[in-house]
Amino acid sequence: MKTLEVTSLDKAFGRRAVLRNLALAVPVGSFTAILGASGSGKTTLLRVVAGFERADRGTVRIGGTLVDDGGSTWLAPERRQIGYVPQEGSLFPHLSVRRNVGFGLGRGEIRAGRVDELLELVGIGELASRYPHQLSGGQQQRVALARALAVRPSLLLLDEPFSSLDASMRASVRAEVRELVRTAGTTAVLVTHDQEEALSLADQVAVIRDGHIGQTGAPRDIYNRPVDADLATFLGEANLLDAVIEAQRARTDLGELVLSAPVGGGAAVVLVRPEQLEVCDPDMAGAVCGEVVALDYHGREAVMRVRLGQGAGRVVVVRVAGQAAERPGRRVGLVVRAPVVAWPAPS
């Protein structure tokens, strides 16, 4: 069963097509991230699902109920059983935390303790009588989440809710929100442009580009097996190597590599993620030699740039543990942890 099903969805503003024949399925109880760059259509998709925009063509179903068919059927946002958390939280500044959370509830539910239950769930029970201006950014997002969950939605929509938080707070609040959504048992859809956020939070990631879904899958699957080179580079740092495929092995500047899936013979492009490269002694058998030309040290890990061979060889990116980093000028050996992904070279 799917909580959200979108099929053949089109949406344009004037002559500008934003969504094109888009399809998406979100399983019950899952946490799905819609990942895309600015202008890819991700926010428009969320607004159509929420009912803030109407589809031009296609269908949107929530919990099996048709809520938009691009024509005569359209259900207003308040009738869609959704919770919505916007980027800035959008709390009512003149209402206390308690009254913000209970805003959409009837008196019976408030008397039954629904607000107190939610405040405890999100860990801010002691802040019930404070006002939004007295809260930190992370606390405001917890209030917004509690308010969205108050109506017991079948679908929770999160519109880049962490973008206004500083870097030190973002990771902790993301983890807390993920655990709260899991505890509440609610199906959630997160819209984000942040690859790390999508890959670390979601059970399912749908990458949107040019108005349609380019690939959907578990975070590990789409990172390790992207459908093409463009998507590979969007999802993280990538070494893309020219290759020649023979007998399902790829000859590259990093040696002869084993493929993860069959690819037709001839010219190809191979993906080697920075963490697939292991640093070793340059004299080790089978290693490809190179020189470290740059180092970015981040404490627990480091990113090295290594120029292969002698002179003007190509530069590859290598991610290693911080204590294993080599300084610029050092000669190193590299071996690839195979298998690798490959695609036929563009014609």
Side-chain angles (χ1 to χ4, degrees):
M1 182 177 175
K2 309 297 182 186
T3 295
L4 173 65
E5 288 184 283
V6 178
T7 58
S8 305
L9 182 64
D10 287 353
K11 178 64 184 176
F13 296 99
R15 294 184 177 181
R16 185 171 67 92
V18 178
L19 302 178
R20 304 175 181 86
N21 197 32
L22 185 143
L24 175 68
V26 175
V28 170
S30 68
F31 196 122
T32 293
I34 310 297
L35 174 63
S38 282
S40 60
K42 60 186 185 298
T43 297
T44 299
L45 171 60
L46 199 73
R47 290 180 61 81
V48 170
V49 171
F52 304 149
E53 302 285 353
R54 300 182 71 153
D56 295 334
R57 189 180 73 88
T59 61
V60 179
R61 286 182 169 82
I62 298 176
T65 299
L66 180 65
V67 298
D68 194 348
D69 68 356
S72 59
T73 300
W74 180 80
L75 212 59
E78 63 271 17
R79 298 179 58 199
R80 295 192 179 197
Q81 284 191 291
I82 59 169
Y84 182 73
V85 180
Q87 287 186 24
E88 302 295 335
S90 297
L91 303 179
F92 300 113
H94 62 293
L95 297 183
S96 67
V97 166
R98 181 185 298 281
R99 293 182 64 195
N100 261 286
V101 173
F103 183 79
L105 297 177
R107 291 182 180 179
E109 282 198 292
I110 293 175
R111 284 197 298 269
R114 177 65 173 160
V115 172
D116 290 333
E117 173 191 329
L118 286 163
L119 291 176
E120 290 304 318
L121 175 68
V122 300
I124 53 173
E126 73 282 1
L127 305 178
S129 13
R130 293 193 187 179
Y131 287 81
H133 73 274
Q134 297 173 308
L135 305 176
S136 69
Q139 289 168 338
Q140 289 183 27
Q141 285 304 98
R142 291 187 187 94
V143 177
L145 179 63
R147 186 177 62 186
L149 292 172
V151 295
R152 294 183 170 87
S154 62
L155 180 64
L156 178 66
L157 303 178
L158 303 158
D159 186 5
E160 304 215 42
F162 314 113
S163 61
S164 62
L165 303 178
D166 61 49
S168 61
M169 185 181 294
R170 197 174 301 138
S172 62
V173 174
R174 282 193 314 221
E176 290 168 5
V177 167
R178 179 67 180 92
E179 188 56 35
L180 290 169
V181 170
R182 181 182 281 116
T183 301
T186 304
T187 306
V189 174
L190 166 75
V191 161
T192 181
H193 65 277
D194 186 322
Q195 293 89 341
E196 179 185 344
E197 189 168 283
L199 295 172
S200 64
L201 284 179
D203 307 313
Q204 171 179 266
V205 176
V207 181
I208 185 171
R209 54 184 182 180
D210 299 326
H212 68 276
I213 302 298
Q215 185 173 1
T216 302
R220 182 174 296 184
D221 290 341
I222 68 164
Y223 180 78
N224 290 328
R225 291 185 290 278
V227 294
D228 56 39
D230 286 341
L231 198 138
T233 55
F234 177 68
L235 289 170
E237 282 195 286
N239 297 300
L240 298 175
L241 309 175
D242 293 333
V244 175
I245 307 297
E246 292 179 352
Q248 295 309 305
R249 297 179 75 86
R251 286 191 284 108
T252 75
D253 289 344
L254 285 169
E256 192 173 272
L257 308 178
V258 177
L259 301 179
S260 62
V263 176
V269 176
V270 165
L271 166 66
V272 178
R273 293 288 187 194
E275 60 273 16
Q276 283 184 275
L277 286 164
E278 291 185 350
V279 178
C280 62
D281 189 297
D283 295 324
M284 190 179 92
V288 173
C289 296
E291 179 185 341
V292 179
V293 294
L295 171 66
D296 295 323
Y297 182 75
H298 304 288
R300 188 164 54 182
E301 70 170 22
V303 175
M304 302 189 306
R305 284 168 173 76
V306 178
R307 189 179 303 280
L308 303 179
Q310 302 286 338
R314 72 157 294 148
V315 174
V316 295
V317 180
V318 185
R319 184 175 292 115
V320 297
Q323 66 268 25
E326 297 283 0
R327 295 178 179 177
R330 291 292 300 272
R331 297 288 296 173
V332 296
L334 297 176
V335 292
V336 179
R337 287 202 299 267
V340 296
V341 174
W343 309 277
S347 54

